[in-house]
PDB file of all heavy atoms in Angstrom:
ATOM      1  N   PHE B 929     -16.414  25.988 -12.235  1.00 95.00           N
ATOM      2  CA  PHE B 929     -17.675  25.502 -12.794  1.00 95.00           C
ATOM      3  C   PHE B 929     -17.309  24.613 -14.043  1.00 95.00           C
ATOM      4  O   PHE B 929     -16.483  24.982 -14.791  1.00 95.00           O
ATOM      5  CB  PHE B 929     -18.571  26.709 -13.187  1.00 95.00           C
ATOM      6  CG  PHE B 929     -18.794  27.587 -12.050  1.00 95.00           C
ATOM      7  CD1 PHE B 929     -17.930  28.695 -11.869  1.00 95.00           C
ATOM      8  CD2 PHE B 929     -19.918  27.521 -11.272  1.00 95.00           C
ATOM      9  CE1 PHE B 929     -18.140  29.585 -10.890  1.00 95.00           C
ATOM     10  CE2 PHE B 929     -20.149  28.469 -10.265  1.00 95.00           C
ATOM     11  CZ  PHE B 929     -19.226  29.434 -10.001  1.00 95.00           C
ATOM     12  N   TRP B 930     -18.112  23.538 -14.218  1.00 96.00           N
ATOM     13  CA  TRP B 930     -17.969  22.724 -15.377  1.00 96.00           C
ATOM     14  C   TRP B 930     -19.196  22.784 -16.193  1.00 96.00           C
ATOM     15  O   TRP B 930     -20.284  22.533 -15.689  1.00 96.00           O
ATOM     16  CB  TRP B 930     -17.693  21.307 -14.924  1.00 96.00           C
ATOM     17  CG  TRP B 930     -16.244  21.093 -14.426  1.00 96.00           C
ATOM     18  CD1 TRP B 930     -15.888  21.110 -13.128  1.00 96.00           C
ATOM     19  CD2 TRP B 930     -15.065  20.923 -15.117  1.00 96.00           C
ATOM     20  NE1 TRP B 930     -14.517  20.929 -13.030  1.00 96.00           N
ATOM     21  CE2 TRP B 930     -14.045  20.840 -14.260  1.00 96.00           C
ATOM     22  CE3 TRP B 930     -14.800  20.800 -16.552  1.00 96.00           C
ATOM     23  CZ2 TRP B 930     -12.700  20.597 -14.668  1.00 96.00           C
ATOM     24  CZ3 TRP B 930     -13.522  20.571 -16.946  1.00 96.00           C
ATOM     25  CH2 TRP B 930     -12.460  20.478 -16.033  1.00 96.00           C
ATOM     26  N   TYR B 931     -18.992  23.117 -17.511  1.00 95.00           N
ATOM     27  CA  TYR B 931     -20.081  23.138 -18.428  1.00 95.00           C
ATOM     28  C   TYR B 931     -19.924  22.037 -19.512  1.00 95.00           C
ATOM     29  O   TYR B 931     -18.772  21.727 -19.793  1.00 95.00           O
ATOM     30  CB  TYR B 931     -20.146  24.558 -19.125  1.00 95.00           C
ATOM     31  CG  TYR B 931     -20.566  25.671 -18.234  1.00 95.00           C
ATOM     32  CD1 TYR B 931     -19.605  26.279 -17.411  1.00 95.00           C
ATOM     33  CD2 TYR B 931     -21.824  26.180 -18.245  1.00 95.00           C
ATOM     34  CE1 TYR B 931     -19.982  27.375 -16.575  1.00 95.00           C
ATOM     35  CE2 TYR B 931     -22.186  27.248 -17.476  1.00 95.00           C
ATOM     36  CZ  TYR B 931     -21.264  27.842 -16.628  1.00 95.00           C
ATOM     37  OH  TYR B 931     -21.654  28.877 -15.810  1.00 95.00           O
ATOM     38  N   ARG B 932     -21.007  21.706 -20.140  1.00 95.00           N
ATOM     39  CA  ARG B 932     -20.923  20.766 -21.251  1.00 95.00           C
ATOM     40  C   ARG B 932     -21.680  21.323 -22.407  1.00 95.00           C
ATOM     41  O   ARG B 932     -22.807  21.929 -22.247  1.00 95.00           O
ATOM     42  CB  ARG B 932     -21.575  19.398 -20.801  1.00 95.00           C
ATOM     43  CG  ARG B 932     -21.625  18.402 -21.901  1.00 95.00           C
ATOM     44  CD  ARG B 932     -22.114  17.061 -21.392  1.00 95.00           C
ATOM     45  NE  ARG B 932     -22.213  16.095 -22.432  1.00 95.00           N
ATOM     46  CZ  ARG B 932     -22.481  14.859 -22.233  1.00 95.00           C
ATOM     47  NH1 ARG B 932     -22.899  14.395 -21.063  1.00 95.00           N
ATOM     48  NH2 ARG B 932     -22.576  14.014 -23.275  1.00 95.00           N
ATOM     49  N   GLN B 933     -21.153  21.171 -23.576  1.00 91.00           N
ATOM     50  CA  GLN B 933     -21.805  21.691 -24.743  1.00 91.00           C
ATOM     51  C   GLN B 933     -22.117  20.541 -25.755  1.00 91.00           C
ATOM     52  O   GLN B 933     -21.164  19.906 -26.237  1.00 91.00           O
ATOM     53  CB  GLN B 933     -20.974  22.741 -25.473  1.00 91.00           C
ATOM     54  CG  GLN B 933     -21.654  23.411 -26.631  1.00 91.00           C
ATOM     55  CD  GLN B 933     -20.785  24.544 -27.258  1.00 91.00           C
ATOM     56  OE1 GLN B 933     -19.545  24.418 -27.325  1.00 91.00           O
ATOM     57  NE2 GLN B 933     -21.450  25.612 -27.703  1.00 91.00           N
ATOM     58  N   PHE B 934     -23.356  20.254 -25.970  1.00 82.00           N
ATOM     59  CA  PHE B 934     -23.743  19.245 -26.957  1.00 82.00           C
ATOM     60  C   PHE B 934     -23.717  19.868 -28.345  1.00 82.00           C
ATOM     61  O   PHE B 934     -23.834  21.095 -28.502  1.00 82.00           O
ATOM     62  CB  PHE B 934     -25.172  18.774 -26.612  1.00 82.00           C
ATOM     63  CG  PHE B 934     -25.298  18.004 -25.355  1.00 82.00           C
ATOM     64  CD1 PHE B 934     -25.597  18.657 -24.190  1.00 82.00           C
ATOM     65  CD2 PHE B 934     -25.051  16.664 -25.335  1.00 82.00           C
ATOM     66  CE1 PHE B 934     -25.660  18.016 -22.965  1.00 82.00           C
ATOM     67  CE2 PHE B 934     -25.134  15.990 -24.071  1.00 82.00           C
ATOM     68  CZ  PHE B 934     -25.471  16.679 -22.926  1.00 82.00           C
ATOM     69  N   PRO B 935     -23.515  19.050 -29.360  1.00 76.00           N
ATOM     70  CA  PRO B 935     -23.409  19.602 -30.724  1.00 76.00           C
ATOM     71  C   PRO B 935     -24.574  20.474 -31.093  1.00 76.00           C
ATOM     72  O   PRO B 935     -25.698  20.076 -30.798  1.00 76.00           O
ATOM     73  CB  PRO B 935     -23.368  18.300 -31.593  1.00 76.00           C
ATOM     74  CG  PRO B 935     -22.860  17.271 -30.706  1.00 76.00           C
ATOM     75  CD  PRO B 935     -23.353  17.573 -29.350  1.00 76.00           C
ATOM     76  N   LYS B 936     -24.265  21.597 -31.558  1.00 73.00           N
ATOM     77  CA  LYS B 936     -25.297  22.668 -31.972  1.00 73.00           C
ATOM     78  C   LYS B 936     -26.312  23.004 -30.852  1.00 73.00           C
ATOM     79  O   LYS B 936     -27.350  23.394 -31.130  1.00 73.00           O
ATOM     80  CB  LYS B 936     -26.029  22.072 -33.233  1.00 73.00           C
ATOM     81  CG  LYS B 936     -25.184  21.881 -34.348  1.00 73.00           C
ATOM     82  CD  LYS B 936     -25.945  21.492 -35.617  1.00 73.00           C
ATOM     83  CE  LYS B 936     -24.977  21.296 -36.828  1.00 73.00           C
ATOM     84  NZ  LYS B 936     -25.720  20.855 -38.048  1.00 73.00           N
ATOM     85  N   LYS B 937     -25.870  22.875 -29.624  1.00 77.00           N
ATOM     86  CA  LYS B 937     -26.646  23.238 -28.506  1.00 77.00           C
ATOM     87  C   LYS B 937     -25.897  24.210 -27.652  1.00 77.00           C
ATOM     88  O   LYS B 937     -24.713  24.464 -27.818  1.00 77.00           O
ATOM     89  CB  LYS B 937     -27.041  22.036 -27.713  1.00 77.00           C
ATOM     90  CG  LYS B 937     -27.798  20.951 -28.459  1.00 77.00           C
ATOM     91  CD  LYS B 937     -29.255  21.006 -28.079  1.00 77.00           C
ATOM     92  CE  LYS B 937     -29.946  19.881 -28.819  1.00 77.00           C
ATOM     93  NZ  LYS B 937     -31.416  19.918 -28.593  1.00 77.00           N
ATOM     94  N   SER B 938     -26.550  24.694 -26.695  1.00 85.00           N
ATOM     95  CA  SER B 938     -25.978  25.686 -25.809  1.00 85.00           C
ATOM     96  C   SER B 938     -25.099  25.018 -24.721  1.00 85.00           C
ATOM     97  O   SER B 938     -25.181  23.751 -24.526  1.00 85.00           O
ATOM     98  CB  SER B 938     -27.052  26.616 -25.203  1.00 85.00           C
ATOM     99  OG  SER B 938     -26.447  27.587 -24.358  1.00 85.00           O
ATOM    100  N   LEU B 939     -24.378  25.692 -23.992  1.00 90.00           N
ATOM    101  CA  LEU B 939     -23.618  25.170 -22.836  1.00 90.00           C
ATOM    102  C   LEU B 939     -24.563  25.041 -21.682  1.00 90.00           C
ATOM    103  O   LEU B 939     -25.364  25.869 -21.377  1.00 90.00           O
ATOM    104  CB  LEU B 939     -22.474  26.131 -22.469  1.00 90.00           C
ATOM    105  CG  LEU B 939     -21.242  26.096 -23.317  1.00 90.00           C
ATOM    106  CD1 LEU B 939     -21.353  27.070 -24.479  1.00 90.00           C
ATOM    107  CD2 LEU B 939     -20.047  26.503 -22.505  1.00 90.00           C
ATOM    108  N   MET B 940     -24.380  23.933 -20.962  1.00 92.00           N
ATOM    109  CA  MET B 940     -25.199  23.630 -19.839  1.00 92.00           C
ATOM    110  C   MET B 940     -24.268  23.419 -18.644  1.00 92.00           C
ATOM    111  O   MET B 940     -23.315  22.617 -18.731  1.00 92.00           O
ATOM    112  CB  MET B 940     -26.061  22.370 -20.026  1.00 92.00           C
ATOM    113  CG  MET B 940     -26.946  22.353 -21.249  1.00 92.00           C
ATOM    114  SD  MET B 940     -28.318  23.560 -21.029  1.00 92.00           S
ATOM    115  CE  MET B 940     -29.224  22.755 -19.773  1.00 92.00           C
TER     116      MET B 940
END
Side-chain angles (χ1 to χ4, degrees):
Chain B
F929 306 86
W930 287 95
Y931 291 82
R932 178 176 179 176
Q933 186 176 36
F934 294 92
K936 297 185 180 179
K937 300 256 184 186
S938 186
L939 281 86
M940 302 291 290

